[in-house]
Amino acid sequence: MSDYFKEREREMNMRLRQLREELPEFAEEFFVGIEPRTTVLTRLNYAYDLRIFFDYLCRRVRCCRDKQPQDITLSDLEKLTTANLESYLEYLGLYTFEGKEYSNGERGKARKISTVRTFFKFFYNRDRLASDVAAKISLPKLRDKEIIRLEGREIERILEAAEEGTGMSAHQHKIQRGTRERDGAILALLLGTGIRVSELVGLNVRDIDFESGAFTVTRKGGGRAILYFNDDVAEALTRYIEGERRRLAERAESKGGDEDALFLSMQARRMCVRAVENLVKKYAAVAAPLKTISPHKLRSTYGTNLYRATGDIYMVADVLGHRDVNTTKKHYAAIEIDRRKAAAKAVRLTPEEDED
């Protein structure tokens, strides 16, 4: 694992420790128990969700009212009813936490109630709770998310915007002239390999092997994988590394920046996820103004194009790093529309006339 990912994991672990101090003492048993089979990011998200749940109990449930979250016990959880948890589901639609107002759609509600169900199941399986009341709560029915991606001409336009500053304001164009090689390389890598934005910002120069047209990426969970890129991506990366990046690396070395990182900011530091998201959003506004495009949508674009080219869903799953091919099918099932259109044209209701 690279230094970048080690540092990121260390920061998440430190944040997780802080959050665990805000939860009931018995919650510690839960986090220790699930540690061998979960990532630190998963545990961190559980901690965020449980903070909201215990805050709700202290605000809205009689047996816990006027307590602090740290004072709640497993005996208090034994007193909860199905109605209490159904009320929590409704509460998640609009609530206040630490002075700020939040809202959740169906997916946000589903994730947070799923955390509560996992939490109760853990203690029930360990005979620390007499019943698992959370198991009776149904998850909200989720509607299929609209699959948004770039199509052929839009892909050309987003790359042109990065290269030429097409459609940029005068201020944006001024900035773009100093970053166009870097920005073009980022867009080419996202569109040409389908890697996640978190994987992209973690890349170091030494991860790239131009001779074999391959690079090493750190996947979710810390695993490493070797992926390959085509000539278009290689050209964009070469242009950036031999041009803008060389100048930024010299600045990074003199200012104590991160000279190992592949993608550097104008401050000669490793680019962060938010910076790449803003970069994609800026160029996508020119290429596809009616679509909300993020780095993940560029990943979807790559996955869709790969499936269209190969028809092999297992290959797509492997390249994208999906552990379960059903995840791949769920994200790219919409391209079956192409096949349905082809099927509609294949069958005629009236026979073709015989040629003389």
Side-chain angles (χ1 to χ4, degrees):
M1 187 183 297
S2 70
D3 292 341
Y4 165 76
F5 287 100
K6 288 178 181 177
E7 178 60 23
R8 191 179 70 155
E9 186 164 309
R10 189 192 73 82
E11 291 175 357
M12 287 192 290
N13 270 309
M14 295 301 294
R15 179 57 179 152
L16 178 57
R17 289 180 184 178
Q18 294 173 352
L19 293 177
R20 282 156 68 166
E21 292 294 322
E22 302 176 27
L23 299 174
E25 186 175 353
F26 65 86
E28 192 71 11
E29 182 180 343
F30 170 72
F31 287 104
V32 172
I34 67 172
E35 192 273 338
R37 62 180 186 277
T38 57
T39 66
V40 62
L41 180 59
T42 296
R43 297 192 298 279
L44 185 60
N45 286 329
Y46 280 162
Y48 281 123
D49 291 346
L50 290 171
R51 270 202 321 171
I52 297 167
F53 175 65
F54 285 110
D55 183 71
Y56 158 79
L57 295 183
C58 294
R59 287 170 177 265
R60 306 288 291 271
V61 179
R62 183 172 300 173
C63 67
C64 302
R65 194 168 294 162
D66 299 326
K67 286 187 175 184
Q68 294 297 315
Q70 298 93 325
D71 300 326
I72 292 177
T73 65
L74 280 169
S75 297
D76 292 322
L77 296 193
E78 293 275 19
K79 299 172 186 176
L80 297 181
T81 65
T82 302
N84 292 142
L85 297 186
E86 288 174 341
S87 294
Y88 176 58
L89 191 59
E90 183 272 335
Y91 170 83
L92 289 172
L94 183 65
Y95 64 94
T96 302
F97 183 76
E98 294 185 339
K100 294 183 180 180
E101 189 175 277
Y102 297 89
S103 62
N104 282 281
E106 298 308 304
R107 292 183 182 278
K109 289 181 179 181
R111 196 196 83 174
K112 289 179 173 61
I113 208 69
S114 179
T115 294
V116 173
R117 289 175 62 172
T118 299
F119 191 72
F120 273 74
K121 183 179 180 180
F122 175 87
F123 287 104
Y124 175 70
N125 287 343
R126 292 199 168 196
D127 297 323
R128 305 270 271 126
L129 288 175
S131 63
D132 184 2
V133 66
K136 301 176 182 179
I137 306 301
S138 299
L139 295 176
K141 185 176 180 180
L142 301 180
R143 301 176 182 86
D144 290 336
K145 291 174 67 176
E146 180 185 5
I147 298 177
I148 300 173
R149 54 184 171 262
L150 296 180
E151 300 298 340
R153 180 57 186 138
E154 293 169 334
I155 295 173
E156 294 176 15
R157 283 202 297 263
I158 197 171
L159 293 173
E160 287 173 1
E163 173 66 24
E164 303 170 9
T166 308
M168 302 279 103
S169 67
H171 177 69
Q172 287 176 324
H173 199 189
K174 182 179 179 181
I175 297 173
Q176 179 268 342
R177 283 198 296 269
T179 63
R180 61 183 181 182
E181 291 175 357
R182 182 201 67 187
D183 298 352
I186 287 173
L187 293 173
L189 197 56
L190 290 171
L191 286 164
T193 68
I195 62 172
R196 299 176 177 90
V197 63
S198 59
E199 297 167 348
L200 180 137
V201 299
L203 287 172
N204 291 327
V205 176
R206 64 176 178 270
D207 294 326
I208 311 295
D209 180 2
F210 285 101
E211 186 174 341
S212 59
F215 65 105
T216 305
V217 64
T218 302
R219 292 293 201 189
K220 289 172 65 175
R224 300 278 278 176
I226 296 176
L227 300 178
Y228 296 86
F229 50 82
N230 61 25
D231 291 342
D232 292 332
V233 176
E235 182 180 345
L237 285 172
T238 301
R239 190 183 310 123
Y240 163 63
I241 290 172
E242 294 181 353
E244 289 173 3
R245 195 199 172 280
R246 180 174 293 175
R247 297 190 293 272
L248 289 170
E250 291 172 356
R251 189 185 307 172
E253 191 173 1
S254 63
K255 291 187 175 183
D258 192 348
E259 64 268 23
D260 294 329
L262 176 59
F263 293 111
L264 294 167
S265 69
M266 295 301 289
Q267 291 73 41
R269 298 190 178 279
R270 184 185 296 273
M271 291 187 71
C272 64
V273 169
R274 179 62 59 85
V276 176
E277 289 173 341
N278 290 339
L279 179 156
V280 170
K281 182 179 179 181
K282 176 178 70 175
Y283 292 120
V286 175
L290 299 182
K291 296 179 178 179
T292 301
I293 299 297
S294 64
H296 191 74
K297 298 300 186 293
L298 301 188
R299 178 172 161 84
S300 295
T301 299
Y302 172 79
T304 299
N305 289 338
L306 181 60
Y307 184 55
R308 281 175 172 162
T310 65
D312 188 340
I313 197 70
Y314 293 96
M315 176 188 292
V316 178
D318 178 60
V319 173
L320 292 178
H322 289 161
R323 295 180 180 179
D324 185 352
V325 72
N326 288 319
T327 301
T328 317
K329 289 179 179 178
K330 180 175 66 176
H331 282 88
Y332 303 105
I335 63 178
E336 293 299 328
I337 292 173
D338 294 345
R339 295 191 176 197
R340 292 171 192 163
K341 287 180 178 178
K345 295 176 181 179
V347 177
R348 299 177 61 88
L349 298 182
T350 56
E352 296 182 7
E353 294 184 4
D354 294 332
E355 293 183 2
D356 293 334

